[in-house]
Structures are given as C-alpha cells and as structure tokens.
Amino acid sequence: MSKTQRIEEKVTIHYEKGLHVRVAATIVQKADRLQNEYNVLYSVHREGLHNVPLTSILLVTALKVKKGEEIYLVTEGEQAEEASKEMKQFLEGDFNISPSELNQVDNLLQDNVITAENVYSNIESGLLVVDNQHTIIIYNTEAEHLFGIPAREVLGRKVTEVFPDSRLPEVVDTKEPILGYTREIGKSTIVVNTTPIIENDEIKGAISTFEDVSRLVQISWEFEEVKELKERYLQILEAVQDGICVFDREGTVTYINGSYNEITGENISEGDNIHEISPNGSRMRVLEKGQKIMGEISQKKNGKSVVANIVPIIVNQQITGGISVVKNLSEIEELIDRISHLSAKTEYLEEELHRRKKLNPAFNRIVGVSNKLYDAMKLAAKTADNNFNVLIRGESGTGKELIAEAIHYSSERATQPFIRVNCAAIPENLLESEMFGHVKGAYTGAIKTKIGKFELADKGTIFLDEIGELDKSMQAKMLRVIQKKEFQRVGDDRTITVDARIIAATNRNLEELVENGEFREDLYYRLNVIPIWLPPLRERREDIPVLSEYFLNKIAEELGCEPKKLSGEAMDALIHYSWPGNIRELENVMERINILADGREVQKEDLPHYISENYHTAVNDEVPSEAVTENGLYDAGLSLGKTSAEEIVTGNDEIMPWEYYEREIIRKALKKYGSYNAAGKALGLTHKTVAAKARKYHIEE
C-alpha cells in the first residue's frame, strides 16, 4: 500500500518579470495538469505567510514574487517526489509556452477577469478605476446607478471628460490618497475615498469608491434627540429592579443592566456570548426556536431563585436577537420562609404556653431524694456545659423529657428553642416531613411550605423521644443530620444547615436492636455520646412519698382546694407497689384518688384494688421469695406465687385490671418454657408480642 508523502522545497524565481499575472496563469495551468497526472496537491508560500493553492491565479499573483526571490513549494501525495521535481524545474525556468498552451492560459485569464467583473458588479459601493493615463478602466453597476451614466459611455474615456470634478487625476499625479470627501450628485450625498494603485514603486492608476450617505444625512438632524432619548431609556433600564439582558442573533450581549448580574449571580458584560456562558440555557433555546419563554423559574449558583421572561426580537420575520428579563424570587421565598418559620414558632409557642399553663412551673424541677436519681441529675448537669449528644435511657414514665428540659434550660442554649419530637407518635409517612419540613407541592396535600422540627431547633435543642421507634430509612436521614448538621426539606434540593443540640431518649434496648439489625450501629454510637440512665420508680422507692405529696399539692392548686393527705397504710401500699408505669402511673393514681376519696385523708381503701391488695399480701408476710426482684423490690405480679390465672379469676370475687392477669400469664409462660418463642407458641402469640409484653411488665426471659 502506497504511503502519502509531503515534500517541501525552496524555489528561486529566475524569470525577469517575476510571477506577474500571465506567468501566474501559466503556473496554474501547469499545476492543474500535473496534479491530475501525479495525483498530488501543490501549494506555495513565502517566509511568514500561509500556504496558498498553486491553482489560484489571484492568490499566486498576490504573493508578488519578483526575480531572484524565493518561495517554498509544498507537494503532497503518493508520487510527491516526482511531482515536486517537475514543478520545481518549471518554476525556476523561463516559462516558455507553446501557442496551444498560450491559448489555454488566455482562456484561464479571461475566466478570472469575468470573475473579477462579477465581484466588482456586486459590490454595494460605487467603484471607478483609472490607469496612469487617467483612462477609465473599471466602472461597476453601483457607479452606474449613482451617476446615472451607463458603462458603455464611460469606459475607455478620460475621467475628466465624464467627471470634470474628479480627483482621480490628482491622486495619480501625486501618488497620495484623498479620503472621506463628499460630492453632491443629484439629490444624493456621496462620500468618496480615492487611493493610488502602486506596484513596484510605479503608479499604475487610482481607484475611487463611492458611498451614498443621503439617508444618514436626512436623519442626522434627529441624532441629538435620539441620543437624548436613548440616554433616558438607559437610565430607566438601569433604575428598574428587574434584570435586563439584550443579545443579538449571534448570542452576543449588546446591553445588560446592573440588576441582571446582581439577581442571577452571573458576571456577564456587554460583548460576552451566551453560547459560551450557557450553551444549553433558555436564552439559547429562544434564539434557536424563536419562541418566547415566560415565567421559567430556576435556581442559580448563588442560591437565589429567579423567574425569567425571555422573548425573541423578530424583524422582517427574522430572529435578530432576544431580551431576557429576570425577577428575584429568593427575597419573596425568604420572606415566605420567615413567615412560615414565625408561624411554626408561634404554633409551637402556643402549644408550650398551653403546657406551661397546665403545668405549674415547679413541675419543671425534677422531684426526688434517691441517690440513683441524684446521680443521674449530676451527670445531666455536667452535660449542660457542653454540646455533646445525650441519650437518656429509661422505662416509660421515668421523666426522660424533664431531664432533657433541665439540660437545655441550664445550658448556653437556654434562650433558644427547645423542640420536642415523639418519634413513635408521628405516622411513618409523615415523619420525614415533620423532622425536616417540606416545600409547597412536594406531595399531595403540601399546600404550603412547612418548617421542620430540626429547622425550628436551630441554635437550640431538639429532644427526640422514643428514638428506638425510627425505621431504617429515617435512621439514615437522621444520621446525616447528626454527622453533617445539614438536611433537605422534602421536595427541595436546597441544603439547609442547622446548629441544634440533640438529646434523644428511649425505653427500648438499643443494643439488642443493633444486634438484631433493627437499629443502625453508627447512629447508636452517634447518639450514645453521653448516656444517662433514669432508674424506674420501683428502684427508688424513697421518692414515692415525695412525688405523691408533690402531685397532690399540684392537683389541689389546679382545683383551687386544700391538698389531700395520704394515710400511713395508703403510703405503705404505694411504696410496695411495683409501678410498671413509673411516675406517669403514680400521677394518674393521685389524680384518681383525689376525685374518688371522700375525706381529706386518703385511706388504703381509696387506692385502686390492684395496689391495695398487693399491699395486704405483703404486710401479712405471705410474699413468696420469687416475688422479690433482683433489685430487692416487691413485684405485685410475682406475689401470686403458684396461683394460676384461672384460680385468680374464679376464686376471687374481686375483679382486677386486665394488665394484672396479662402480666401473670406472661410471667408463668416464660418461667415454664424459658424463651419468647416457646412461650409464644404455648400462648398462641408471636414471639415479638411476648417479648413486647415482657418488656412492658419488666419480666426477665
């Protein structure tokens, strides 16, 4: 397979007259023949100039090569070596040609003359050329139109015979150009430029070009008024708050006001091209399709939202450019956000006010005298001095929320929001929206932008109660907030940063959930930076009298009456009860006896039966050993000893609460079968149900 060659050789021109027009024609004719013969391409260049095809008379002539000067011949093709050698020899020769070849050269010259005449005729300016004898040799169509004289009456005559005031003879004689002078021809004002034609330091003639500026002259009187009007419009455009950008058909910006860059965050100047700025943007679509775009909302790199109206400029059914007008939506959105934020805060504060009215301020203080409670409080007080995450552990009703409040209101964030979220109380499909908020239209029913709990808690504290109830997908989103302190509203791609201290709480065994794959291990370690364990009420029995008196006083204050007192037997019964519902259950019991007890002193008989009966068994020392828990506390359920659930129901006229029987049945099943799975099969329940009931009643497997 032949290989393409490229040969470049230096050629010295020896011909007396150099490469004038006829010689150039001869070279072109020769090059055309040899290119076909050798299947190559010829080009030439001089030092510092680009290659030109050797088959173009005009370009070869334009090189203006004289005798003794050098040019470079470039030959490309499969037979470049032979073709280069033959063409070089021809270029360095005397260009003697045969009559037949001369005829071909003349035809070639004639073709190029016709081409030049076509060029002259189609020039919009008038063209008049004379030789060095002042004879008119070129007179184009536009010149005929301007002067009203046909070419046949002009060509070949002295220029002064046709145009007595022409300055062409002056330019020929002086070899100096005369530029920008005017002539009145009929009703037209003509601007004339006349320049000499010099070749090899010899004057060859002169050329005049004519431009009709009559229309410009006619409107020149309006120029100052137009200029003033333009300045007024520009001042108006600069004064408006909307951004305005005007661009032409090629996409070049011809005008842009100061507001445009300020709103969009771009840095566009007049002369910039939108092809380069945003090749796939709305402005380009308008230029390409000629259809206006109205009300298009977009998010800019500076974070601002803008709405754009872009319309094409159409003149004579042709698109000549476009105008883009942008408005700033971010300020409106920020205002809406602020209103939503304030609205959400108002709603929250109203709820808090309601809570404060319902609860005496003293309720915020944690009541108790036990060492275990004191230890938990001391640790909580230490955490108030820092911003580490806190995980409060304990059974339901032990006061985890009160501890969280105490930490917040004794910290540097005390003047900032304290936001409560019960993870178990919010439906799973709404939890993300509640936590992080949503934008208008994010889903069906999202009729307005909603601020999430995390955003409300900015600079303050968020209390995540029942954190163990979160599903896995929500756990992942929560982990991101904890790690990066940022999140996105539902339906929005804008990232919001938040500075909120996180205090979580749970009554679940998170370690077991992690082991079973129900809770993310990384989230567990993120939350469990400072763990605080709150003991159940049965493990701090010395607090029961204090709490009972506190609740009775609180209830009396709310009712506006004297507080009731507990008798010794009633207090002993309360102390010996296991309190599976902890402090919350104790408060409910105090509310109940405050209503049902007739006298000011509450007797044992005024207590619920499941409490008073347990106390009766305990004081008669009939409590079996298994009724005492490993913590040394009395368990009402275990006090039944070997009595079956059936015996309890049929052998006793007293009807106990349902939980009383349920607890005993679960305890006996687990004791007999040893596992949640086996106990569940015996009871006709799932092992998850048995496990949940065991946790509820604090029964060990």
Side-chain angles (χ1 to χ4, degrees), residues 389-400:
N389 297 335
V390 177
L391 180 61
I392 305 174
R393 309 286 292 274
E395 298 173 6
S396 295
T398 52
K400 296 186 288 294

Side-chain angles (χ1 to χ4, degrees), residues 330-392:
S330 296
E331 293 180 1
I332 299 174
E333 289 180 346
E334 288 172 6
L335 181 59
I336 293 172
D337 278 353
R338 288 178 62 188
I339 293 172
S340 299
H341 200 105
L342 291 173
S343 177
K345 280 191 173 182
T346 301
E347 291 176 6
Y348 176 76
L349 290 174
E350 286 178 351
E351 292 177 2
E352 284 296 294
L353 182 60
H354 180 71
R355 290 169 63 89
R356 298 293 178 180
K357 287 181 178 178
K358 182 179 179 182
L359 299 175
N360 189 277
F363 183 70
N364 291 327
R365 299 176 58 189
I366 300 170
V367 179
V369 295
S370 66
N371 289 333
K372 288 187 177 182
L373 179 62
Y374 177 78
D375 291 339
M377 289 298 298
K378 187 166 66 172
L379 179 57
K382 289 182 179 180
T383 66
D385 298 329
N386 54 64
N387 286 316
F388 296 128
N389 297 335
V390 177
L391 180 61
I392 305 174

Side-chain angles (χ1 to χ4, degrees), residues 104 150 159 161 205 244 252 282 294 309 332 391 521 524 612 640:
Q104 294 178 6
V159 68
E161 294 177 6
I244 300 172
T252 301
S282 302
M294 305 298 288
N309 294 329
I332 299 174
L391 180 61
E521 185 176 13
Y524 167 77
S612 59
L640 295 175

Side-chain angles (χ1 to χ4, degrees), residues 409-471:
Y409 288 113
S410 60
S411 71
E412 295 178 348
R413 299 172 180 257
T415 59
Q416 301 299 325
F418 178 77
I419 306 299
R420 302 171 178 83
V421 182
N422 189 331
C423 301
I426 303 172
E428 188 173 310
N429 60 330
L430 297 179
L431 187 57
E432 184 177 0
S433 175
E434 284 293 319
M435 289 289 193
F436 308 124
H438 63 251
V439 296
K440 181 179 179 181
Y443 56 84
T444 303
I447 60 175
K448 66 176 183 178
T449 297
K450 176 182 174 63
I451 305 299
K453 300 296 186 184
F454 268 96
E455 196 168 347
L456 286 173
D458 190 34
K459 310 301 181 187
T461 303
I462 186 167
F463 175 56
L464 303 174
D465 198 9
E466 303 297 341
I467 191 72
E469 304 300 326
L470 290 179
D471 61 42

Side-chain angles (χ1 to χ4, degrees), residues 36 58 93 258 265 338 348 389 402 448 459 485 489 514 549 597 629 656 662 699:
N36 291 329
L58 294 177
R338 288 178 62 188
Y348 176 76
N389 297 335
L402 295 179
K448 66 176 183 178
K459 310 301 181 187
K485 297 185 180 298
R489 294 175 184 166
V514 169
E549 183 179 1
T629 68
M656 307 298 287
E662 186 177 56
I699 302 171

Side-chain angles (χ1 to χ4, degrees), residues 430-697:
L430 297 179
L431 187 57
E432 184 177 0
S433 175
E434 284 293 319
M435 289 289 193
F436 308 124
H438 63 251
V439 296
K440 181 179 179 181
Y443 56 84
T444 303
I447 60 175
K448 66 176 183 178
T449 297
K450 176 182 174 63
I451 305 299
K453 300 296 186 184
F454 268 96
E455 196 168 347
L456 286 173
D458 190 34
K459 310 301 181 187
T461 303
I462 186 167
F463 175 56
L464 303 174
D465 198 9
E466 303 297 341
I467 191 72
E469 304 300 326
L470 290 179
D471 61 42
K472 294 296 287 291
S473 64
M474 195 62 196
Q475 291 175 27
K477 294 181 175 66
M478 195 71 69
L479 180 63
R480 181 188 176 191
V481 180
I482 296 172
Q483 288 178 326
K484 299 185 177 181
K485 297 185 180 298
E486 63 181 27
F487 63 92
Q488 292 176 332
R489 294 175 184 166
V490 177
D492 195 5
D493 57 0
R494 181 164 59 98
T495 298
I496 298 173
T497 58
V498 64
D499 174 23
R501 183 181 191 177
I502 296 174
I503 301 178
T506 184
N507 62 352
R508 302 284 301 275
N509 187 333
L510 291 186
E511 292 78 10
E512 183 177 304
L513 294 179
V514 169
E515 185 177 350
N516 294 336
E518 298 175 31
F519 198 87
R520 292 179 66 106
E521 185 176 13
D522 46 4
L523 178 59
Y524 167 77
Y525 288 117
R526 285 286 182 180
L527 294 172
N528 197 38
V529 178
I530 302 177
I532 297 176
W533 291 83
L534 287 184
L537 190 55
R538 64 180 176 276
E539 292 183 16
R540 51 184 183 111
R541 295 167 59 190
E542 59 268 44
D543 288 338
I544 293 175
V546 180
L547 287 166
S548 299
E549 183 179 1
Y550 169 77
F551 287 129
L552 288 175
N553 290 334
K554 171 179 171 291
I555 294 167
E557 184 175 353
E558 290 177 349
L559 297 176
C561 60
E562 288 292 322
K564 296 192 176 186
K565 302 295 182 181
L566 291 163
S567 67
E569 277 193 334
M571 181 61 72
D572 287 341
L574 294 177
I575 292 172
H576 284 83
Y577 179 58
S578 61
W579 299 107
N582 292 293
I583 300 173
R584 188 178 295 119
E585 183 182 4
L586 175 61
E587 183 180 12
N588 292 337
V589 170
M590 293 300 102
E591 290 177 346
R592 175 179 174 179
I593 62 176
N594 193 79
I595 297 172
L596 298 180
D598 294 327
R600 286 194 57 204
E601 185 177 72
V602 178
Q603 303 299 322
K604 178 176 70 70
E605 291 75 16
D606 295 321
L607 299 176
H609 292 296
Y610 59 89
I611 295 177
S612 59
E613 288 297 320
N614 287 336
Y615 170 67
H616 176 74
T617 305
V619 295
N620 288 327
D621 295 325
E622 296 176 357
V623 182
S625 60
E626 64 264 31
V628 180
T629 68
E630 60 182 1
N631 297 312
L633 300 178
Y634 175 78
D635 188 323
L638 299 180
S639 68
L640 295 175
K642 297 181 180 180
T643 305
S644 67
E646 181 179 0
E647 291 172 335
I648 295 172
V649 175
T650 59
N652 194 334
D653 293 336
E654 188 70 37
I655 301 300
M656 307 298 287
W658 168 254
E659 291 184 348
Y660 182 85
Y661 305 107
E662 186 177 56
R663 179 172 58 243
E664 175 64 11
I665 292 169
I666 295 295
R667 186 191 68 78
K668 285 185 174 292
L670 284 173
K671 182 177 181 181
K672 181 176 181 179
Y673 296 103
S675 70
Y676 296 142
N677 191 43
K681 288 181 179 179
L683 296 173
L685 302 173
T686 66
H687 72 281
K688 289 185 177 180
T689 301
V690 175
K693 297 293 184 182
R695 284 196 299 271
K696 178 179 178 181
Y697 300 123

